[in-house]
C-alpha cells in the first residue's frame, strides 16, 4: 500500500513539475516574442503598434530624453521619434527571467538610424532592459530603458 501511495505521489509531483516547466517555457517564449514585436514596430516606425505593446502605465526611460509615463506620453514620444528618425535595428536577446507575473529581459541591438532632416545615416548599437508584466494573460512592457553601448 505504501509503495502505491508513494508511486502515486511521485507521478503527481512529476506531472505538476512538468506543467510548471512548460508554463515557464511558454512564458519565456511569449516574452521573447514581445521583444521581437517591439523591434519590428520600432523598425516600421509604427507608434501605435509600439505603444500597444506597453501597459497603460508603461514607462520609457530613454537616453537624453524626459521619462515618458502612460499611453499618451509614450505615444507622443514615439511619434516624435518616428517623425525625426528611421530605425533599422537587429535585436539579440540576452537573459530572460520570468518570475510570476513579471519578466526581466536584457538585450542588445545593433544597426542604424537615419536623421530625416538631413538624411544622415548613423551606425549605432544599444543595450536594453525590459521589465514585462503579465496583464490579463498577455505580456506587456511595463518599463523599458536603453542606452548606447559606447
Amino acid at each position: 500500500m505504501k509503495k502505491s501511495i508513494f508511486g502515486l505521489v511521485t507521478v503527481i509531483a512529476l506531472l505538476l513539475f512538468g506543467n510548471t516547466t512548460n508554463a515557464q517555457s511558454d512564458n519565456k517564449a511569449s516574452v521573447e516574442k514581445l521583444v521581437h514585436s517591439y523591434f519590428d514596430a520600432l523598425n516600421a516606425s509604427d507608434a501605435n503598434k509600439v505603444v500597444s505593446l506597453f501597459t497603460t502605465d508603461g514607462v520609457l526611460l530613454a537616453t537624453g530624453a524626459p521619462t515618458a509615463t502612460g499611453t499618451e506620453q509614450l505615444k507622443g514620444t514615439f511619434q516624435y521619434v518616428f517623425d525625426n528618425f528611421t530605425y533599422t535595428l537587429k535585436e539579440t536577446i540576452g537573459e530572460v527571467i520570468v518570475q510570476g507575473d513579471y519578466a526581466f529581459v536584457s538585450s542588445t541591438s545593433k544597426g542604424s538610424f537615419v536623421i530625416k532632416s538631413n538624411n544622415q545615416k548613423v551606425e549605432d548599437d544599444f543595450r536594453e532592459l525590459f521589465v514585462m508584466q503579465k496583464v490579463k494573460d498577455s505580456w506587456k512592457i511595463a518599463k523599458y530603458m536603453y542606452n548606447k553601448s559606447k
Side-chain angles (χ1 to χ4, degrees):
M1 177 77 168
K2 285 184 180 180
K3 285 185 178 180
S4 296
I5 292 173
F6 178 74
L8 180 61
V9 169
T10 302
V11 169
I12 291 171
L14 288 172
L15 288 172
L16 289 175
F17 178 73
N19 287 341
T20 301
T21 302
N22 287 341
Q24 281 290 92
S25 181
D26 290 347
N27 281 325
K28 184 178 177 186
S30 295
V31 166
E32 289 177 353
K33 182 178 178 184
L34 178 56
V35 172
H36 294 304
S37 294
Y38 170 80
F39 281 98
D40 289 346
L42 185 75
N43 289 331
S45 298
D46 188 339
N48 288 325
K49 179 64 176 174
V50 171
V51 172
S52 76
L53 301 174
F54 280 79
T55 60
T56 57
D57 60 348
V59 177
L60 169 64
L61 302 155
T63 302
T67 300
T69 303
T71 302
E72 291 305 312
Q73 288 184 7
L74 289 168
K75 171 81 177 186
T77 298
F78 281 107
Q79 193 58 60
Y80 171 82
V81 168
F82 298 146
D83 286 347
N84 292 283
F85 306 96
T86 303
Y87 288 88
T88 306
L89 296 171
K90 176 64 181 148
E91 73 279 5
T92 302
I93 295 175
E95 186 175 27
V96 177
I97 299 169
V98 177
Q99 193 71 20
D101 286 342
Y102 287 91
F104 309 90
V105 180
S106 63
S107 64
T108 57
S109 57
K110 191 171 190 162
S112 64
F113 63 92
V114 174
I115 303 169
K116 290 183 176 181
S117 64
N118 61 7
N119 207 31
Q120 179 185 0
K121 184 177 181 179
V122 178
E123 298 293 326
D124 218 340
D125 55 297
F126 302 92
R127 297 178 295 190
E128 300 92 17
L129 178 63
F130 293 87
V131 177
M132 311 294 199
Q133 183 178 6
K134 199 173 217 182
V135 179
K136 297 180 183 176
D137 293 327
S138 180
W139 286 101
K140 297 282 188 175
I141 302 167
K143 311 260 188 281
Y144 172 60
M145 174 185 269
Y146 71 90
N147 64 16
K148 295 183 179 218
S149 297
K150 298 176 185 176

